[in-house]
Amino acid sequence: MAIKEFESQGFTISPGGKHQGGFSHNALIHFEDGSFLELFAFRKTFKVFLLRLADRLGFLTKMKAREKMGHMPRFMKCLHGKEGIMDFAMLVEDIDAYKEKISFEEIGPALPFSRIRPDGSEISWKLAFPVELNLPFLMSPYQPSQEVPKEKRKHKNGVQGIHQLDIVVQNWDKHFQSFLRFLDTTPQIGREAKEPKASFFLNNQYILLKSTSDAAACCIQKIHLRGTNTEKQEIHLRNIQLEIHQN
């Protein structure tokens, strides 16, 4: 369903494959700047039904607490069918070297992940997860390296890449300091509607951190895409708000 909706908005979709363990699968929207959007979903299997039941009965509580620096807290956010923008990752060549560089203690170990592509080949990568769920998780490059064909990076709507993520947090002082240390870059500071904001530039994308007094609103609020259209477009899909700006 999500694939058809994104295709109807002019995106080219690339089948991703089935993740290790068989619980989930994905599809990808690749862009010319090297960034991508992942359409992630749990598979309709008996194993996933049992996992959801176990969580509702409280059997996974200890596991989630024990793996606070693992993938479980993020994995579980979408287990019960919640839709929308769930998470974001930052690509680093060497996860362990980056962790040592920023001296950020509350990041878990680099864990191996893999999936089987539709052609039967397997690709692998590593992820490391900070305790703070508003921060991005760290991702290593795919192994073997994946070359995305040019036609898979072209989109009818003219989108060429991700320009910015808007992230809204409640406890500004705490989260600003965490982003400052974790992203290891100096932001531009400003205000919006009398609330503080900070814009972090990473390679070719921005992360805009904004303050709010509404605890329920704390999340990735919006994704801004860059494209070739002359006028700004807004796309609303399954609780996902996208804006396409002229490149």
Side-chain angles (χ1 to χ4, degrees), residues 47 56 78 96 114 134 164 200 246:
K47 184 160 53 174
R56 289 191 177 100
C78 52
D96 290 330
S114 65
N134 285 308
Q164 177 176 291
F200 298 85
Q246 182 179 6

Side-chain angles (χ1 to χ4, degrees), residues 1 19 25 37 49 66 68 84 87 89 93 118 144 156 169 178 180 185 189 191 212 229:
M1 182 66 74
H19 294 107
H25 54 182
L37 297 177
F49 168 78
R66 185 172 63 249
K68 64 179 182 178
D87 218 328
E93 288 296 323
K156 293 178 181 178
V169 296
S178 294
L180 190 64
T185 187
I189 306 298
R191 301 192 76 83
T212 181
N229 293 316

Side-chain angles (χ1 to χ4, degrees), residues 1-8 11 13-15 26-27 39 238:
M1 182 66 74
I3 289 176
K4 291 182 179 179
E5 289 190 15
F6 274 88
E7 285 180 334
S8 72
F11 291 100
I13 312 296
S14 299
N26 71 351
L39 307 183
R238 293 177 170 266

Side-chain angles (χ1 to χ4, degrees), residues 20 28 34 36 38 88-99 107-115 123-129 136-146 182:
Q20 65 187 48
L28 302 168
F36 63 86
E38 178 185 17
F88 67 119
M90 186 168 76
L91 180 70
V92 294
E93 288 296 323
D94 186 321
I95 290 177
D96 290 330
Y98 188 79
K99 288 169 59 178
I107 306 176
L111 303 173
F113 287 81
S114 65
R115 60 178 162 85
I123 59 173
S124 62
W125 63 94
K126 290 184 178 181
L127 303 176
F129 301 91
F137 58 90
L138 300 176
M139 177 180 180
S140 71
Y142 289 126
Q143 295 295 333
S145 179
Q146 303 293 298
F182 190 87

